[in-house]
Amino acid sequence: FLGEINSYRAGLQHCLLETHAQGYGNLHQALGNAHVQQRRLAHPHPQASWQSAIHHYTEALKAFTEGTPAEHLKVLQSLISVYLTRGNLDPATALQRQGSGLIRRVLSDDTRPDSEKQRLAIQFASFNQVTVDLWVQQSNYAEALETAEADKNSLMTWLLAGWQHPDNTLTP
């Protein structure tokens, strides 16, 4: 684990946000993932692992802005997962709303090709499931049901419209 962390940190000495945003974001995301993995392996200082993961995911978001929606959403998913695991619903809810809003904006952007919209919608459909989970955790069952129903209706609309999966099947 320490070798992995040190390798990523060494990479950060060469990949600055201002000059190599993609590398900076990838390295911080990898560091966040490594700290989450460390925590799963029963690290003796779990709070430090979670805090480090949060820090590195937050740094990755500086590189992966909403202009790169797929990368941004991947990091948001990881960050939300850490907050939910720790029982921190407020930041998880805020980040989930941010991610859901980004997905809605991308899907309604007429300048983006349908293939990109479809790929992102399929890849990040779990954001709607997280929304449902958060509503249930907050005992807001009506909102949870409405969100699940809206997601189901969207998927059915895509299927009925003939929106095909990138491998040319009709799976949502």
Side-chain angles (χ1 to χ4, degrees):
F1 169 78
L2 288 177
E4 179 181 10
I5 295 291
N6 289 333
S7 293
Y8 294 140
R9 286 183 179 156
L12 283 171
Q13 293 176 1
H14 305 284
C15 291
L16 304 176
L17 177 61
E18 298 78 20
T19 58
H20 299 91
Q22 182 76 30
Y24 181 89
N26 287 336
L27 288 168
H28 274 291
Q29 185 176 14
L31 278 162
N33 293 343
H35 284 288
V36 167
Q37 184 62 31
Q38 178 189 32
R39 173 59 191 111
R40 288 190 183 128
L41 298 174
H43 187 268
H45 305 290
Q47 285 304 104
S49 294
W50 289 135
Q51 285 305 114
S52 292
I54 289 169
H55 166 75
H56 289 294
Y57 289 142
T58 302
E59 285 298 308
L61 286 174
K62 291 178 182 177
F64 299 140
T65 63
E66 291 189 6
T68 55
E71 290 85 357
H72 189 82
L73 291 165
K74 284 179 195 173
V75 175
L76 279 180
Q77 281 181 321
S78 298
L79 192 51
I80 290 167
S81 176
V82 170
Y83 280 124
L84 289 176
T85 300
R86 296 184 69 204
N88 296 357
L89 292 182
D90 291 340
T93 301
L95 291 169
Q96 186 283 326
R97 285 186 185 131
Q98 180 185 346
S100 293
L102 176 57
I103 291 170
R104 275 192 305 279
R105 287 189 300 280
V106 167
L107 295 180
S108 65
D109 183 354
D110 292 334
T111 64
R112 292 189 187 269
D114 282 346
S115 60
E116 179 186 358
K117 291 179 187 181
Q118 179 186 11
R119 183 181 52 78
L120 288 173
I122 292 168
Q123 185 176 2
F124 296 105
S126 63
F127 264 93
N128 287 331
Q129 182 58 50
V130 171
T131 302
V132 172
D133 294 344
L134 288 169
W135 286 129
V136 169
Q137 286 181 357
Q138 296 169 0
S139 299
N140 195 337
Y141 303 113
E143 285 290 332
L145 187 57
E146 288 174 17
T147 302
E149 182 72 15
D151 188 38
K152 180 206 54 135
N153 289 342
S154 294
L155 292 174
M156 292 302 293
T157 300
W158 296 337
L159 285 174
L160 293 173
W163 221 22
Q164 294 189 353
H165 193 273
D167 67 4
N168 291 327
T169 64
L170 282 176
T171 54

